[in-house]
Amino acid sequence: MEITITLLRANIDNAKELHAMQVKAFKELLEKYQDYDTNPGNESVEKLEARLKQDFTFYYFIYIGQQKAGAIRIVDQKENGKNKRISPIFILPEFQGKGIAQKAIRLCEEMHGNENWELDTILQESKNCHLYEKTGYRQTGKTEVINERLTLTFYEKKKADRPLS
């Protein structure tokens, strides 16, 4: 069965709800990697509120029907040649593994332009890496060791990069 998703922009009034969803979605990864300084699940609601106030930040709730399945943040400074950034995207545990993140990424690329994107993810999470590679992102070769358990790997998507079917 084909899942249809919609994106609805969040605003400052949604900060506490977004924060609760983000904490829930990243809880397992935070426990696994103990990356307390970098994991979105350990961010304060105040940090999320500050991002919501940025004129170049776009948070969207990801809906399946009337249910909020997750959210995605796009950093888009709307400057020629400047990459847009996904940071973070999360799907609530009960909705994971259904292709929702892939569809949300594609919708955001349609809305914000489908060239010059970047993101980073946990190198040790092969499902995350596969998701981004499937949507046309390529590893840049840049990595950043966060701790003995976790390394971030960086991705980009230029105009010529095409998704794997």
Side-chain angles (χ1 to χ4, degrees), residues 53-143:
K53 291 176 183 175
Q54 296 170 330
D55 61 359
F56 53 83
T57 284
F58 302 82
Y59 270 98
Y60 299 98
F61 283 113
I62 303 167
Y63 279 86
I64 299 174
Q66 300 299 311
Q67 291 185 292
K68 290 178 181 148
I72 185 170
R73 174 180 175 236
I74 304 299
V75 177
D76 183 356
Q77 303 203 5
K78 300 195 183 297
E79 293 178 32
N80 257 354
K82 186 124 176 140
N83 282 351
K84 295 167 281 278
R85 181 168 179 74
I86 297 172
S87 177
I89 180 172
F90 57 88
I91 306 300
L92 294 171
E94 60 268 31
F95 294 102
Q96 291 176 5
K98 300 176 193 245
I100 296 165
Q102 191 178 151
K103 290 179 181 187
I105 290 168
R106 289 194 174 123
L107 282 174
C108 286
E109 290 172 351
E110 287 173 18
M111 293 168 25
H112 290 271
N114 59 7
E115 59 187 54
N116 300 328
W117 286 86
E118 65 183 45
L119 57 86
D120 58 75
T121 195
I122 300 169
L123 181 62
Q124 291 82 353
E125 290 295 315
S126 58
K127 286 182 182 176
N128 289 2
C129 294
H130 179 70
L131 161 69
Y132 299 125
E133 289 164 12
K134 194 172 179 179
T135 54
Y137 288 78
R138 304 287 175 252
Q139 288 191 25
T140 64
K142 178 183 171 193
T143 59

Side-chain angles (χ1 to χ4, degrees), residues 20-47:
M21 291 173 68
Q22 183 169 291
V23 167
K24 181 179 180 182
F26 283 100
K27 182 179 191 290
E28 188 179 312
L29 291 174
L30 181 62
E31 290 171 357
K32 182 176 182 179
Y33 294 107
Q34 300 174 20
D35 54 326
Y36 301 107
D37 293 335
T38 56
N39 188 302
N42 202 43
E43 278 182 1
S44 68
V45 71
E46 291 80 15
K47 187 169 184 179

